Amino acid sequence: MAEKKREKSVDVLDRLFWTVQPPMGLIKGDYYRAENWFARISGDKGYHGILEVVRRDGTLQMVEFNEINNPTYYIRRYQGVSKRLSDYGFLQATKERTAKSGVVLVNGLTHLEEQMVAENRLTGEFDLLTGASNSIKRSMLPLAEEIAGRLDKPSGQVYYGLSQAVEPGVTGRLQIVLEAGKIISCAYDEIFADRQEEIEDPELKPYYRQSKYHCPDYISTIGAGFNSIFDLLSARVLETQSLTDLTGLPFTEEPKRAKEWDNYLELVRRMEDALAADGLR
C-alpha cells in the first residue's frame, strides 16, 4: 500500500506546477503593508496573512501575499511556517482535492498578484482559480482593500528589493524598507529554482521550489542555520544602518567564511548604487 501511495504522489506532482520565484531585478517605490489573523478555531491565533504592495508614480510595482501557517496546525512540521516558501505546496499537491483541482495555494496567489499588477488595481472583480484557497477571500482580498484605501496618501516608507542569480538554480533576494532615510527592515534569502534540473549542485536539488530561510529540511553548509545567521544580519543592519558591516557576525572569516555572505554582498553593492542614485546613501 505504501508503494502505491508514493507512485500516486509522484504522478500528482508531475501534473501540478507552481512557481516560488521572486520578481527579478530591482523593484522600488512607496511601501504599503497590511496583515491579519484569520480562520481562527476554538480561540487559537489562526493563520497569519501578510500583504505587501509597492507603488511608484501611481503604478503598482509589486503585490505579494504571504501566509504563515497556524501555530497549532495539526501537522507539527508545518506549524508557523511559510506556506509559500516551504514544502507546504508539496503537501497540498498530494491531497486528493488539490489533485482534482490542479492548483495549490501559490497558484492562486501568483494568478491574482499578476492581475493586480497588470491592471494596476487592488480592488474590484478578479479571476480567482477554483480550488486555490479560501485564504485569498479571507485574507488577501480584505487586506488589498485596506491598502487600496491608503494609496492616495504617501506611506512614509520606501521599499527596495533586488533579486538576481547567485549560482545556477539559486536566486538571492535582498529586501529593505526605509522610513525617513533609516532602514527599518532588512531581509535576505536564497530561493531555489522551480525545477530540479535547473539546480546545478546535486545536494541542493531536493529543495527545489523552496527557500533556504523557510525550507524545514534545508541542511545549511554554513555551520549554523541559514535563517539564524541572517536574522543576526537583519538585527545588525537595523542597529548600525550599514548593509556591509559584518564585523563579529559568525562565519564571515576565513577559513570558515560562508559563501552566502559573498552572495549577499554582491546584491548589496547593486542595492547601494540604487540608493545612492536616489540620494538615500
Side-chain angles (χ1 to χ4, degrees), residues 6 38 57 103 123 140 209 231 236 261-262 268 272:
R6 283 199 297 271
F38 65 100
D57 298 330
V103 298
T123 59
M140 183 175 178
R209 286 190 221 171
D231 281 345
R236 170 64 62 80
W261 288 125
D262 296 313
V268 165
E272 291 205 315

Side-chain angles (χ1 to χ4, degrees), residues 22-279:
M24 299 299 286
L26 178 68
I27 291 178
K28 62 181 181 178
D30 292 327
Y31 178 72
Y32 299 85
R33 176 188 173 106
E35 52 192 292
N36 69 356
W37 291 87
F38 65 100
R40 300 179 182 183
I41 300 175
S42 302
D44 68 8
K45 294 186 70 173
Y47 298 81
H48 189 191
I50 304 165
L51 182 64
E52 297 172 288
V53 173
V54 178
R55 187 172 184 249
R56 187 175 79 246
D57 298 330
T59 302
L60 295 177
Q61 305 296 309
M62 183 186 82
V63 176
E64 185 169 299
F65 179 80
N66 286 280
E67 182 182 336
I68 308 303
N69 222 343
N70 193 325
T72 61
Y73 194 70
Y74 75 102
I75 301 176
R76 182 174 182 182
R77 171 187 177 82
Y78 296 108
Q79 292 175 353
V81 307
S82 166
K83 285 188 175 183
R84 187 163 189 153
L85 290 170
S86 70
D87 65 344
Y88 183 81
F90 292 95
L91 172 69
Q92 284 190 305
T94 56
K95 291 183 176 180
E96 186 174 348
R97 184 171 62 180
T98 300
K100 290 179 179 178
S101 68
V103 298
V104 299
L105 171 62
V106 183
N107 291 125
L109 298 182
T110 54
H111 183 62
L112 181 52
E113 290 163 354
E114 289 167 359
Q115 290 176 75
M116 288 178 168
V117 172
E119 299 173 21
N120 197 37
R121 61 186 177 91
L122 296 175
T123 59
E125 295 295 321
F126 294 102
D127 175 39
L128 304 182
L129 296 183
T130 301
S133 175
N134 62 12
S135 301
I136 290 175
K137 294 180 179 179
R138 292 188 181 189
S139 185
M140 183 175 178
L141 288 174
L143 293 177
E145 185 171 356
E146 178 187 335
I147 290 177
R150 295 193 265 129
L151 287 180
D152 288 338
K153 298 180 180 179
S155 67
Q157 298 180 344
V158 182
Y159 171 94
Y160 280 75
L162 176 63
S163 298
Q164 66 180 42
V166 293
E167 63 179 281
V170 183
T171 295
R173 188 183 195 189
L174 174 61
Q175 301 176 90
I176 66 171
V177 177
L178 302 98
E179 185 172 3
K182 181 180 180 180
I183 299 173
I184 61 170
S185 174
C186 175
Y188 179 73
D189 200 355
E190 293 186 359
I191 300 165
F192 299 108
D194 293 330
R195 295 179 175 85
Q196 287 185 320
E197 57 267 28
E198 298 176 52
I199 303 173
E200 185 175 271
D201 186 338
E203 293 188 4
L204 300 180
K205 288 180 181 293
Y207 310 124
Y208 73 110
R209 286 190 221 171
Q210 300 174 73
S211 82
K212 288 185 179 182
Y213 190 95
H214 293 285
C215 174
D217 290 326
Y218 175 64
I219 300 175
S220 172
T221 58
I222 295 177
F226 178 93
N227 57 330
S228 63
I229 292 296
F230 282 94
D231 281 345
L232 290 175
L233 169 74
S234 297
R236 170 64 62 80
V237 169
L238 299 192
E239 177 186 358
T240 66
Q241 291 297 299
S242 170
L243 293 168
T244 57
D245 181 9
L246 307 182
T247 306
L249 290 175
F251 303 100
T252 57
E253 302 294 333
E254 299 295 353
K256 294 184 177 181
R257 182 179 176 88
K259 66 178 181 180
E260 284 86 350
W261 288 125
D262 296 313
N263 294 343
Y264 162 76
L265 289 173
E266 178 60 31
L267 269 71
V268 165
R269 281 188 278 272
R270 287 191 59 192
M271 179 76 77
E272 291 205 315
D273 287 344
L275 292 169
D278 292 337

